[in-house]
């Protein structure tokens, strides 16, 4: 008599959490072929068959795995996460020397941010102890609507994202936060005209910021900003340096390419006057943004 799989033997070790079990299931695909059966996942992960089956089903629902018949393989969700991490690492490496130069020339805190849903994520933060008044950290998040970086990206993004940010709510963080949808849309229109966005104590009292979008002739893929306490007296003066830094980072990544240009807004275009392709997932975003 043969058995299809050997159940893992219980040990005296503490039971694994659901997250640890899911990680073991995903790790089973690291050195395997493109497809694994449930039996092979059980053998490679050491997870009990019943638990592995439940986890596999949940990972399929999340699009982290795909199922074809009795076989499982890595899904688009995992590919999207990997592509996003690769893209962000490439962006950070290209930007880092320019961010340091901007910090040295201005003496203020410098950020590199990307948009994730309705929030900005800080990929890099460069500054000294004098910048501790700004409550940011690498990997941290802030609502996009009340940050200069968020407004810089949204102004040169797609209208669907802007409207989603508004639907999520423009809640007051300080007395100066823009909370009215029409005022927020006007602010984004002014950002497109100026080429930079400003934050006048909209996220935190006493914190001012100026940000420029990182873009070629199309949508913004990130933003670079200078912020600090008391920067409000210098924001107009700092704006050209921030714009120049963003331009230098873009050229480091893609070469001179096409420069941003003003154009008439065709019917159905978003805030930046661009057609609105489907942006349902990060892979579409990467294909659209990387090579414009």
């Amino acid at each position: 008599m043969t058995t299809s799989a050997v159940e893992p033997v219980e040990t005296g070790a503490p039971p694994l959490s659901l997250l640890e079990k899911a990680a073991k299931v995903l790790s089973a695909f690291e050195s395997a072929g493109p497809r694994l059966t449930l039996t092979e996942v059980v053998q490679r992960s050491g997870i009990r068959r019943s638990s592995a089956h439940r986890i596999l089903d949940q990972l399929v629902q999340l699009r982290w795995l795909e199922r074809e018949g009795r076989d499982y393989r890595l899904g688009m969700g995992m590919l999207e996460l990997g592509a996003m991490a690769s893209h962000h690492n490439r962006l950070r490496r290209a930007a880092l020397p320019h961010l340091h130069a901007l910090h040295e020339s201005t003496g203020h805190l410098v950020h590199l941010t990307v948009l994730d849903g309705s929030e900005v994520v800080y990929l890099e933060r460069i500054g000294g102890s004098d910048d501790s008044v700004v409550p940011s950290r690498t990997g941290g998040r802030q609502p996009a609507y009340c940050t200069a970086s968020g407004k810089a990206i949204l102004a040169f993004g797609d209208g669907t994202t802007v409207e989603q940010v508004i639907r999520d709510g423009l809640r007051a963080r300080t007395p100066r936060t823009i909370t009215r949808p029409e005022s927020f849309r006007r602010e984004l229109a002014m950002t497109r005209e100026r080429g930079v966005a400003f934050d006048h104590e909209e996220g935190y009292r006493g914190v001012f910021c100026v940000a420029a979008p990182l873009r070629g002739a199309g949508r913004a893929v990130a933003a670079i900003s200078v912020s600090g306490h008391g920067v409000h007296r210098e924001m107009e003066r700092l704006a050209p340096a921030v714009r120049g830094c963003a331009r230098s980072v873009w050229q480091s990544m893609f070469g001179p390419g096409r420069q941003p240009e003003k154009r008439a807004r065709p019917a159905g275009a978003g805030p930046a006057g661009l057609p609105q392709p489907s942006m349902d997932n990060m892979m579409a975003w990467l294909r659209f943004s990387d090579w414009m």
Side-chain angles (χ1 to χ4, degrees), residues 151-171:
K151 289 188 286 185
I153 300 173
L154 289 170
F156 293 94
D158 67 277
T160 302
T161 303
V162 172
E163 294 307 312
Q164 184 59 55
V165 168
I166 292 174
R167 285 194 297 273
D168 288 345
L170 307 177
R171 300 173 183 83

